[in-house]
């Protein structure tokens, strides 16, 4: 099995200072992949730039120019969470472009799957607004690109970042060609992602939200994927699966309160890989969203590659959470299964 790794040191040049979303995240991931021999096992590709036309499939032209102007003027804060330096506009074009490279390599069959290790992340960015550390919505641009350039009609985006991908949901809320499935802590930032947000118009039913109560972990996440995503995806029949991989649902991540382990992430990746093998010739593209504990992110990305490459052993240096978890999951999942006719 061939897995692509898309990365470039340009991603370190989005300088956010002492912000939690900083270049050390990718430094830690890449050095761990190097030490573990994963970079040699994977097929590496440099990212290309996304064109303005490609960004405009998701973002308003005025918004794209605004980001360029903020960079030219030296950078600054786009919202209370999201900061830019003079290089950030260029880096953000390479972040979206990294996903496009990943989609191209997978669609052309050069690799079976790919992981774009990019920053800034993307899933909170909306048509005309940066938020939540995100400037351009990389995964949304990639889905639009795949639909437009590879003659696809159905793309699945699965998002297990601990935060709801409001920007991705908004982009495809009325679009029946994109199935958006998200697990996320709720209530939590950014406030969207209720179970009754299911899409609108022709897109009704192709947005599937699985909010999680703080404290739930591996077991609940796996059930959400196996019992809701799997049947809904089988019905939808995606031709490509994109994954917004955020490792901030881990129990040791300080930004949120979920209790997923590295082993749990590997099991989720396994479910996604089996779905891709069953439904779309294995076409599976990951992109990095959040994840702020450096050891967790590094080990989780490695575990993801181990699953994609078919390596038998998953290393989980931090183990499972021993926290007591809140009840109520059975009723909760039944409600979501009913809304989405997941049986
Ligand atoms: Zn997140």
């Amino acid at each position: 099995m061939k897995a692509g790794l898309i990365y470039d040191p340009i991603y370190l040049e989005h300088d956010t200072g002492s912000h939690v979303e900083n270049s050390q995240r990718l430094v830690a991931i890449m050095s761990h992949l190097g030490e573990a021999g994963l970079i040699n096992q994977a097929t590496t590709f440099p990212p290309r730039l996304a064109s303005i036309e490609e960004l405009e499939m998701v973002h308003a032209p005025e918004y794209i120019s605004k980001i360029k102007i903020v960079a030219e003027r030296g950078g600054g804060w786009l919202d209370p969470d999201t900061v830019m330096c003079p290089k950030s506009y260029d880096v953000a074009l390479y972040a979206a472009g990294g996903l496009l490279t990943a989609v191209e390599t997978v669609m052309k069959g050069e690799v079976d799957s790919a992981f774009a290790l990019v920053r800034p992340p993307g899933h909170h960015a909306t048509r005309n607004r940066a938020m939540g550390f995100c400037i351009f919505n990389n995964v949304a641009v990639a889905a639009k690109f795949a639909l437009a350039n590879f003659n696809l009609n159905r793309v699945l985006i699965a998002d297990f970042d601990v935060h709801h991908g409001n920007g991705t949901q908004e982009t495809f809320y009325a679009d029946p060609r994109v199935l958006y499935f998200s697990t996320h802590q709720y209530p939590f930032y950014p406030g969207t992602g209720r179970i009754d947000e299911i899409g609108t118009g022709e897109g009704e039913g192709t947005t599937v939200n699985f909010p999680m109560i703080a404290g739930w972990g591996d077991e609940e996440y796996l059930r959400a994927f196996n019992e809701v995503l799997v049947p809904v995806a089988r019905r939808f029949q995606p031709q490509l699966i994109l994954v917004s991989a955020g490792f901030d649902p881990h129990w040791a991540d300080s930004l949120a309160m979920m209790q997923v382990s590295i082993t749990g992430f590997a099991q989720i990746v396994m479910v996604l890989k089996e779905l891709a093998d069953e439904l779309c010739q294995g076409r599976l593209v990951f992109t990095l969203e959040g994840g702020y504990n450096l050891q967790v992110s590094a080990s989780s990305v490695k575990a993801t590659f181990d699953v994609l490459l078919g390596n038998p052993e998953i290393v989980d240096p931090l183990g499972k959470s021993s926290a007591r978890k809140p009840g109520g999951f059975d009723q909760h999942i039944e409600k979501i299964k009913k809304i989405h006719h997941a049986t």
Side-chain angles (χ1 to χ4, degrees):
M1 271 171 290
K2 276 180 138 182
L5 189 167
I6 292 86
Y7 174 75
D8 193 285
I10 183 94
Y11 295 134
L12 309 181
E13 294 180 34
H14 169 50
D15 182 0
T16 54
S18 57
H19 196 287
V20 64
E21 198 296 294
N22 60 62
S23 60
Q24 288 308 307
R25 299 175 62 228
L26 282 182
V27 170
I29 291 169
M30 288 304 290
S31 84
H32 186 63
L33 292 182
E35 285 159 16
L38 258 292
I39 294 178
N40 296 328
Q41 272 194 66
T43 312
T44 55
F45 299 91
R48 70 168 173 87
L49 277 168
S51 70
I52 303 303
E53 293 72 33
E54 286 163 341
L55 289 182
E56 285 178 357
M57 293 190 285
V58 171
H59 296 287
E62 319 77 74
Y63 171 70
I64 301 167
S65 342
K66 179 188 122 179
I67 298 298
K68 184 163 185 262
I69 291 166
V70 173
E72 284 165 358
R73 291 183 182 161
W77 290 86
L78 300 170
D79 93 327
D81 300 315
T82 315
V83 68
M84 278 180 70
C85 74
K87 285 285 287 203
S88 296
Y89 174 71
D90 293 335
V91 181
L93 293 181
Y94 275 108
L99 263 281
L100 302 183
T101 300
V103 167
E104 283 165 350
T105 58
V106 166
M107 290 307 300
K108 289 177 185 164
E110 293 170 33
V111 288
D112 300 291
S113 57
F115 200 144
L117 290 170
V118 307
R119 55 184 290 279
H123 72 155
H124 294 305
T126 70
R127 180 170 163 76
N128 42 32
R129 192 165 157 216
M131 57 183 278
F133 322 161
C134 301
I135 297 173
F136 298 131
N137 196 317
N138 309 319
V139 82
V141 173
K144 290 270 194 183
F145 169 75
L147 291 166
N149 291 271
F150 291 96
N151 246 325
L152 302 188
N153 305 309
R154 293 175 311 280
V155 174
L156 162 63
I157 302 176
D159 184 338
F160 62 77
D161 188 278
V162 81
H163 305 96
H164 182 243
N166 60 294
T168 311
Q169 169 169 302
E170 185 185 297
T171 306
F172 300 109
Y173 207 56
D175 190 341
R177 300 172 303 167
V178 176
L179 172 62
Y180 178 62
F181 172 83
S182 174
T183 51
H184 44 273
Q185 182 172 324
Y186 188 90
F188 202 50
Y189 183 87
T192 48
R194 293 193 319 264
I195 60 176
D196 60 356
E197 294 167 25
I198 61 164
T200 188
E202 287 184 17
E204 191 175 313
T206 56
T207 293
V208 180
N209 280 302
F210 202 117
M212 294 277 183
I213 292 177
W216 286 346
D218 290 355
E219 195 190 329
E220 291 77 18
Y221 270 75
L222 273 172
R223 285 192 59 192
F225 276 78
N226 279 317
E227 296 178 36
V228 177
L229 176 64
V230 168
V232 170
R234 281 188 177 136
R235 190 169 65 218
F236 181 75
Q237 293 283 317
Q239 297 156 301
L240 169 69
I241 300 178
L242 306 178
V243 184
S244 275
F247 300 104
D248 41 10
H250 192 276
W251 60 263
D253 194 290
S254 53
L255 247 66
M257 287 145 266
M258 303 313 300
Q259 300 292 322
V260 179
S261 69
I262 293 163
T263 305
F265 289 130
Q267 289 168 320
I268 292 169
V269 172
M270 183 66 80
V271 172
L272 292 165
K273 183 172 185 308
E274 284 171 1
L275 258 188
D277 288 340
E278 176 191 329
L279 300 175
C280 50
Q281 298 129 63
R283 293 166 179 165
L284 181 58
V285 170
F286 285 77
T287 183
L288 187 66
E289 299 284 0
Y292 305 97
N293 177 307
L294 300 185
Q295 190 188 7
V296 165
S297 291
S299 298
S300 300
V301 172
K302 179 187 177 292
T304 302
F305 271 107
D306 282 325
V307 172
L308 297 179
L309 289 160
N311 294 339
E313 199 196 352
I314 299 300
V315 181
D316 183 348
L318 293 177
K320 298 232 175 204
S321 157
S322 54
R324 261 186 69 123
K325 55 187 178 191
F329 185 78
D330 285 334
Q331 302 93 296
H332 185 64
I333 194 170
E334 284 312 318
K335 225 189 278 178
I336 297 169
K337 282 188 193 172
K338 206 167 157 207
I339 291 173
H340 290 285
H341 314 287
T343 44

